[in-house]
Amino acid sequence: MVIVIHQSSSTQNAMFYNEKKVVQKKALFFKSGNTPTINPFAGTKHDRLNILKDIENGNARVKKKGLHISLNPTVADLVKLGDTGIRSEIGNLMDHLGYGNQPFFVFKHTDLDRTHFHIVSTRIDCQTGKKIKDTYEKEKVQRFIKSIEQKYDLTKERNQAQSNLKFSAGSRNLKQNLESLFYQLNQIDSVSNKQLYNKSLELFNVEVRRSGRGHVVLITDGNGNPVRYPIRLSELEERPRSYVSVKAGQEIQSTWPAIDKFELAQWARDVNRLIEKSKDSNLEINHFIEKRKKQKRIR
């Protein structure tokens, strides 16, 4: 069992990401809790978002209000718990982290080889309007994982290839893992311009270069030498925000101020945290990814 709390400052982005997967038939509405209506999934995505935004609007001081958690059971975990057990343990997880009274929505994703679940809620307390304390969240998650592993006699599964975001010539599931890296970096506020984004990518042996009217993504040996065949950026669903285009071949031009030492220090701190997370054996990096080969076979 792998549980990841994502760095998401935008509740809307987290909600609409999952809603988009439902529209694409790559995810299902799975569970909701503490909502004002019995079946909030009968309404629109804006109705569901407004349940959380109405709470958040009462606190303008907190910047990162969104709560976005992914729960990634192994195949054996799914067999032992089933949907009923997963629903129950998601409720227990919310209680354990201090969000037991919060409205939340759960989406069951089926677009990967392994079924996984996404939980979207808010960090603003629906009763007090204050931010719910999030200290020691990582430790709390690990204690929860250990408790359910003991409760259901689950077998720990380790996959070193999926626990390190640093790419190499032998990296598997390349498109999926690149999209995961881009998604993670897109959530880091301190990666605020193209220069810092490129420096962040270099730490993972990834480089984006112009090719013709667009861009390609390259895996390098750490010294700028490509070691894999390039992938066109247009083939990826999740892309670096610094390379979003207005139209094909036309890159958004933004004028950024010079990077001061404080901004550079913030960038180094936040990217180092991402690197440490990627080294953690409990980090499942195949999130928010389209399984294109599987789709092509189905078509």
Side-chain angles (χ1 to χ4, degrees):
M1 181 74 70
V2 175
I3 298 173
V4 181
I5 300 180
H6 298 279
Q7 297 179 6
S8 175
S9 58
S10 171
T11 304
Q12 177 172 308
N13 288 350
M15 178 68 80
F16 284 1
Y17 172 82
N18 286 280
E19 295 280 354
K20 180 180 178 181
K21 291 293 186 180
V22 173
V23 173
Q24 294 173 337
K25 301 189 184 304
K26 300 171 186 175
L28 305 168
F29 297 131
F30 186 72
K31 175 183 172 67
S32 64
N34 306 316
T35 57
T37 57
I38 297 176
N39 181 16
F41 294 126
T44 69
K45 65 179 183 180
H46 296 285
D47 294 332
R48 290 183 282 277
L49 176 64
N50 287 337
I51 291 174
L52 304 179
K53 296 298 288 183
D54 286 346
I55 298 170
E56 295 178 347
N57 290 339
N59 190 326
R61 297 187 305 276
V62 178
K63 292 183 178 180
K64 295 186 177 182
K65 302 176 184 180
L67 178 68
H68 190 187
I69 304 173
S70 61
L71 187 145
N72 309 270
T74 67
V75 174
D77 296 343
L78 285 170
V79 171
K80 287 190 175 183
L81 276 72
D83 282 354
T84 300
I86 293 291
R87 285 190 177 94
S88 176
E89 293 305 332
I90 285 175
N92 292 337
L93 172 64
M94 295 296 282
D95 286 334
H96 183 75
L97 294 176
Y99 298 94
N101 295 322
Q102 296 293 96
F104 65 90
F105 304 93
V106 184
F107 302 81
K108 180 179 181 179
H109 287 239
T110 56
D111 57 335
L112 300 178
D113 285 339
R114 180 176 301 168
T115 298
H116 55 288
F117 304 83
H118 286 251
I119 308 166
V120 180
S121 185
T122 175
R123 293 181 178 276
I124 305 302
D125 193 302
C126 61
Q127 297 176 342
T128 67
K130 297 180 180 179
K131 184 177 184 291
I132 296 173
K133 293 183 179 180
D134 58 359
T135 51
Y136 305 109
E137 272 190 344
K138 184 176 180 179
E139 291 81 358
K140 289 178 181 178
V141 166
Q142 295 311 310
R143 287 198 296 270
F144 180 80
I145 292 173
K146 186 176 181 179
S147 70
I148 62 173
E149 285 177 342
Q150 293 174 345
K151 180 178 178 180
Y152 295 95
D153 191 25
L154 303 180
T155 302
K156 293 183 179 180
E157 181 178 279
R158 302 298 184 206
N159 186 337
Q160 198 60 35
Q162 291 184 334
S163 65
N164 194 340
L165 279 174
K166 199 156 189 175
F167 293 88
S168 67
S171 295
R172 301 175 61 186
N173 301 320
L174 190 57
K175 288 183 181 180
Q176 295 96 318
N177 294 339
L178 282 170
E179 287 183 335
S180 178
L181 173 61
F182 296 152
Y183 179 86
Q184 298 278 3
L185 288 175
N186 288 345
Q187 308 307 306
I188 300 179
D189 294 335
S190 66
V191 185
S192 56
N193 59 54
K194 194 172 182 178
Q195 180 183 349
L196 292 179
Y197 209 109
N198 288 338
K199 289 178 68 175
S200 302
L201 292 177
E202 288 176 9
L203 297 174
F204 300 95
N205 295 342
V206 177
E207 186 177 341
V208 178
R209 295 181 186 175
R210 177 172 285 282
S211 175
R213 299 182 63 189
H215 292 84
V216 295
V217 185
L218 296 170
I219 306 302
T220 72
D221 59 3
N223 296 314
N225 303 310
V227 295
R228 295 282 293 266
Y229 193 82
I231 297 175
R232 297 205 68 83
L233 198 59
S234 58
E235 295 181 25
L236 304 177
E237 182 173 325
E238 186 72 34
R239 305 171 192 174
R241 64 180 176 221
S242 299
Y243 289 89
V244 175
S245 296
V246 176
K247 59 181 180 180
Q250 181 181 352
E251 194 175 312
I252 291 177
Q253 300 296 325
S254 300
T255 302
W256 296 94
I259 301 171
D260 58 28
K261 291 182 178 179
F262 177 73
E263 184 178 7
L264 193 62
Q266 280 188 312
W267 164 82
R269 178 201 63 195
D270 292 337
V271 174
N272 279 332
R273 287 176 179 173
L274 175 57
I275 293 172
E276 288 305 311
K277 282 179 64 180
S278 75
K279 292 178 180 177
D280 190 332
S281 59
N282 286 306
L283 176 64
E284 174 75 46
I285 65 173
N286 280 338
H287 295 313
F288 320 110
I289 304 163
E290 186 158 356
K291 189 77 172 176
R292 294 185 182 272
K293 289 184 179 179
K294 185 176 180 180
Q295 287 180 335
K296 288 179 180 178
R297 289 198 298 269
I298 293 173
R299 290 173 186 171

